[in-house]
Amino acid sequence: MGAPRVVRVGMLGCGTVGSAVARLLADHAGDVEERAGVRLEVARVAVRDPGRERDVPVEASRFTADPLAVVEDPEVEVVCELMGGTEPARQLILAALDAGKPVVTANKELLATWGRDLFDRAEAAGVDLAFEAAVGGGIPLVRPLKESLAGERVRRLVGIVNGTTNYVLTRMSEDELSFAEALAEAQALGYAEADPAADVDGHDAAAKCAILASIAFNTRVVASDVYREGIGAVAQEDIRNARTLGYVIKPVAIAELEDEDVAVRVHPAMIPANHPLAAVRDAFNAVFVEGDRVGELMLYGRGAGGDPTATAVVGDLVRVARNLALGGRAQGCTCYLDRRIRPMDDMESAYYLLLQVQDRHGVLAQIAGVFGDNEVSIKSVWQEGTGHDALLVLITHRAREGSLQSTVRQLRDLPPVTAVRNVLRVEGTE
Ligand SMILES: NC(=O)c1ccc[n+]([C@@H]2O[C@H](COP(=O)([O-])OP(=O)(O)OC[C@H]3O[C@@H](n4cnc5c(N)ncnc54)[C@H](OP(=O)(O)O)[C@@H]3O)[C@@H](O)[C@H]2O)c1
């Protein structure tokens, strides 16, 4: 037998994920070679600072500060983009595709904004653009949705797709930490960014939700289509009330088909304590899928971190390299429909409201009247305390978001209501 065909990989970025990919390719070289049918070699690596010492099994001479030189290097057959951000990553990926080089990327931010351009160019060039690691880190989600479920009609996805916010809400729920304390802990553990807004305000989850919705519903959904609310308003009193009612508060990303429209949203929500997603704790991620025939299934695991994410990247590299060596292409873009994005006001959910009210005769009837006027039906109500600081905890039946928001506006103007302390959506209830 002759020497195996070598496929040379050009890496753009060698940080948390890139360095884990380089180590994994070296540590599992034999297995990767058997599975890919080719030997994968890291030929060039672009980083910002090529002089820095790095714990990777790649010769120093292969590092450069010029990412375009990596893309254009005639030895490089596959480009692995792990630098993040939209530019210059977008231009570099386009250059690689135009040069007929397949690309593997983990860049959710880029795909959720510029996915259409990138997939069109990959299609025009007839080369693979693989992105398993962009959603759910080490959890296989893209290929299961695109390929394993190709015969299914997925109706709904509910995911916990951001580890930082799940960690924060888990610590707030289980250890009664305040939001600030839990976030500081997540940062100390390296889960959250130094500027945690991308996590806390839901931007990261919205990008992932857009990618998942595009795949599940075969239509283009971009991050700006996704309704987004952060977890910053969740307070200990909401967590306690949720517990009393048999719920936990989780940071969810929901993508669903409603009358063939796509509805996409990211926000904290109460979910029943016995729902499989309630058991997804700390920085773990999961996506719960509901389909016509398959019923319910859940994919669970580590949604971030160098090593877990590197397994998804290397899985894509193996497949792309196999295609190069043996011919064939991975399934390209599956967005063959043009679905409408349903406005948030037309979506439906059940709701939790925490109202601070003056406890006096007739207040409950006045409040119930506002709900009734807006066609929002109350499922349960309970009162805590008396006098000026009485609290009312209300759960509604499913209602239109627009009707609920109008109810909230009118409640704020109702004299006995001194504050609408919080409003949260409730999943898994009628
Ligand atoms: N970290 C995770 O858990 C995770 C999970 C899923 C997906 N992802 C995605 O994976 C990608 C990489 O994330 P990461 O956490 O590995 O990032 P990172 O640790 O910040 O690494 C980025 C790498 O890119 C290099 N780089 C950045 N800009 C560059 C430029 N203009 N020219 C040349 N090199 C440049 C950096 O060089 P220096 O080393 O010299 O600074 C570094 O090696 C991102 O798209 C991220 O969203 C990450």
Side-chain angles (χ1 to χ4, degrees):
M1 252 174 66
R5 158 123 153 68
V6 177
V7 170
R8 293 188 174 82
V9 178
M11 292 185 48
L12 309 178
C14 193
T16 307
V17 181
S19 60
V21 166
R23 284 191 294 272
L24 201 158
L25 283 173
D27 293 349
H28 295 182
D31 289 329
V32 168
E33 187 173 318
E34 290 294 337
R35 292 168 191 167
V38 296
R39 183 182 299 163
L40 283 167
E41 252 181 43
V42 176
R44 302 285 303 272
V45 185
V47 288
R48 262 184 304 235
D49 177 7
R52 212 174 74 214
E53 192 122 332
R54 292 164 199 269
D55 176 24
V56 284
V58 180
E59 287 164 34
S61 63
R62 294 178 188 241
F63 283 83
T64 171
D66 181 357
L68 192 59
V70 172
V71 171
E72 290 177 342
D73 187 326
E75 281 222 314
V76 166
E77 289 179 89
V78 174
V79 171
C80 183
E81 186 277 308
L82 299 169
M83 62 203 297
T86 46
E87 295 296 352
R90 186 181 73 95
Q91 290 296 343
L92 293 163
I93 291 178
L94 289 175
L97 296 172
D98 288 349
K101 299 183 183 186
V103 174
V104 172
T105 178
N107 196 330
K108 66 213 127 198
E109 190 191 350
L110 179 62
L111 288 174
T113 322
W114 293 100
R116 178 187 291 261
D117 291 20
L118 297 174
F119 289 113
D120 286 352
R121 289 283 266 276
E123 210 56 43
V127 292
D128 287 335
L129 171 59
F131 57 99
E132 183 63 68
V135 194
I139 313 171
L141 287 171
V142 175
R143 268 200 253 171
L145 282 172
K146 264 195 181 191
E147 297 177 17
S148 315
L149 293 174
E152 173 60 312
R153 287 212 83 192
V154 172
R155 309 298 312 179
R156 193 163 193 261
L157 299 174
V158 185
I160 293 176
V161 293
N162 180 269
T164 304
T165 48
N166 196 30
Y167 183 84
V168 167
L169 288 179
T170 303
R171 297 286 283 137
M172 286 176 72
S173 299
E174 296 182 4
D175 304 292
E176 295 185 16
L177 262 57
S178 68
F179 173 77
E181 288 167 334
L183 183 59
E185 214 178 87
Q187 282 173 306
L189 287 166
Y191 294 143
E193 304 290 326
D195 171 10
D199 296 323
V200 168
D201 295 342
H203 296 282
D204 174 78
K208 292 166 175 169
C209 187
I211 296 171
L212 287 173
S214 303
I215 300 168
F217 306 132
N218 306 109
T219 189
R220 312 260 188 180
V221 181
V222 295
S224 56
D225 290 330
V226 181
Y227 172 83
R228 188 175 49 75
E229 254 175 47
I231 61 160
V234 177
Q236 272 302 335
E237 59 189 3
D238 304 312
I239 289 171
R240 276 195 302 276
N241 291 332
R243 191 177 303 129
T244 306
L245 290 159
Y247 292 93
V248 288
I249 301 179
K250 289 287 179 190
V252 296
I254 299 177
E256 57 198 339
L257 275 188
E258 286 191 10
D259 306 326
E260 301 306 314
D261 290 350
V262 174
V264 269
R265 52 202 167 102
V266 164
H267 51 69
M270 288 190 179
I271 57 175
N274 61 2
H275 190 284
L277 283 172
V280 180
R281 300 170 52 253
D282 292 337
F284 278 86
N285 283 195
V287 175
F288 188 79
V289 182
E290 295 170 28
D292 280 351
R293 308 288 172 99
V294 76
E296 297 172 342
L297 62 93
M298 190 163 94
L299 296 136
Y300 167 88
R302 292 186 191 278
D307 282 337
T309 307
T311 64
V313 173
V314 172
D316 277 348
L317 284 173
V318 164
R319 154 176 256 222
V320 161
R322 263 186 83 84
N323 289 346
L324 260 190
L326 307 174
R329 278 191 61 199
Q331 194 177 21
C333 179
T334 46
C335 295
Y336 52 83
L337 297 174
D338 193 12
R339 295 186 190 275
R340 197 177 81 109
I341 304 292
R342 179 163 282 218
M344 187 62 188
D345 270 359
D346 293 339
M347 290 188 210
E348 280 195 1
S349 177
Y351 297 86
Y352 150 93
L353 292 94
L354 181 62
L355 307 182
Q356 187 175 324
V357 298
Q358 291 167 7
D359 179 23
R360 56 178 198 229
H361 183 71
V363 169
L364 214 50
Q366 264 182 294
I367 289 173
V370 172
F371 279 83
D373 290 348
N374 287 285
E375 296 179 351
V376 178
S377 137
I378 296 171
K379 183 179 179 188
S380 70
V381 57
W382 105 73
Q383 178 174 336
E384 273 190 2
T386 50
H388 288 292
D389 290 326
L391 292 175
L392 283 185
V393 180
L394 294 115
I395 300 288
T396 73
H397 287 286
R398 280 177 77 82
R400 262 187 78 248
E401 174 82 17
S403 308
L404 190 281
Q405 293 304 339
S406 151
T407 307
V408 169
R409 278 192 297 276
Q410 289 173 31
L411 287 172
R412 287 204 169 103
D413 292 340
L414 203 67
V417 175
T418 44
V420 177
R421 287 170 68 134
N422 211 349
V423 179
L424 290 167
R425 293 171 191 84
V426 182
E427 292 300 317
T429 183
E430 286 310 303

